[in-house]
Amino acid sequence: MCETCCSNVSRRTLMAGGLGLLAAASLPRAAQAQAQANAPGDTPDAALDKLMQGNERYIAGQMRERDFSAGRAARAESQAPFAAILGCADSRVAPELAFDQGPGSLFVVRVAGNFVTPDGLASLEYGAAVLGTKVIMVLGHSNCGAVNATVAALQKGNDLPGHIGDLVRAMKPGIEPVLQKKEEDLRHQAVIANVRANVRQLQESKPILADMVSSKKLRVVGGVYDLASGKVELV
């Protein structure tokens, strides 16, 4: 076997071993009950179905009653979420409520504009490879201030204060093509375009997420939360 192949095999072996050790450290016996409770059939499709069924309950006002103190001791030792959410920091969007899930079920990363950052990517990799999340949803929402600011800045060349301009620079690649097409309902189309751009980025992110997606161990999907109705539409 050539030295390059040996090197590649060695790197893969080390990464797999390292993730295995992290997983072993993160999931002691005390968390087995929680993991079983969160287990959505051990498939990405089933995990997505579980999210969407929870959203249907939320829309209908039929959320499950929960004693949040139950299982607190087990959760103090570890976690076993079945899904991860890359969501906006908007205070009106609460993923655990929107999907009717209790503590320990969702692994949530939030940033204004729900776009991928290096730290956010690392967190989502940890969630998928170590904690066992089966689906990642990039969750945008209607009337997103970060998207609207990006659209305005790209159209008018606004000079935003402080580090807010960094949001525009990060979201520009996904949103700019919509402006060039002069879509109707521009702001909503920009929300969808931003979600889809970040879904693609996560799906193609090597070595961890892309490999898990290609082996069908993980799904990465996009959704848009409607602030008025609470409904999440897959996009």
Side-chain angles (χ1 to χ4, degrees), residues 14-32 35 77-81 125-133 212:
L14 285 172
M15 185 177 76
L19 292 174
L21 289 173
L22 280 171
S26 301
L27 295 173
R29 292 180 181 178
Q32 289 180 359
E77 295 188 17
S78 65
Q79 57 179 318
E125 288 177 335
Y126 181 81
V130 178
L131 301 181
T133 56
M212 294 185 72

Side-chain angles (χ1 to χ4, degrees), residues 41-143:
D42 291 330
T43 69
D45 288 347
L48 179 58
D49 286 344
K50 186 173 182 178
L51 279 179
M52 301 310 292
Q53 288 168 11
N55 182 241
E56 290 176 3
R57 293 193 300 272
Y58 174 67
I59 296 167
Q62 297 176 349
M63 298 171 69
R64 294 172 176 169
E65 293 185 9
R66 292 182 174 87
D67 177 2
F68 292 127
S69 65
R72 186 176 291 156
R75 290 194 301 270
E77 295 188 17
S78 65
Q79 57 179 318
F82 74 90
I85 308 293
L86 172 55
C88 183
D90 193 294
S91 62
R92 298 166 292 179
V93 185
E96 288 84 358
L97 294 179
F99 295 108
D100 190 23
Q101 300 298 324
S105 294
L106 300 182
F107 193 71
V108 181
V109 174
R110 300 182 70 169
V111 62
N114 47 270
F115 60 88
V116 179
T117 67
D119 294 342
L121 174 58
S123 297
L124 293 169
E125 288 177 335
Y126 181 81
V130 178
L131 301 181
T133 56
K134 301 297 183 183
V135 62
I136 298 173
M137 180 180 287
V138 180
L139 185 63
H141 65 91
S142 60
N143 196 27

Side-chain angles (χ1 to χ4, degrees), residues 145-164:
V147 170
N148 294 344
T150 299
V151 169
L154 293 177
Q155 287 179 325
K156 304 173 184 178
N158 294 352
D159 187 14
L160 298 171
H163 295 283
I164 299 176

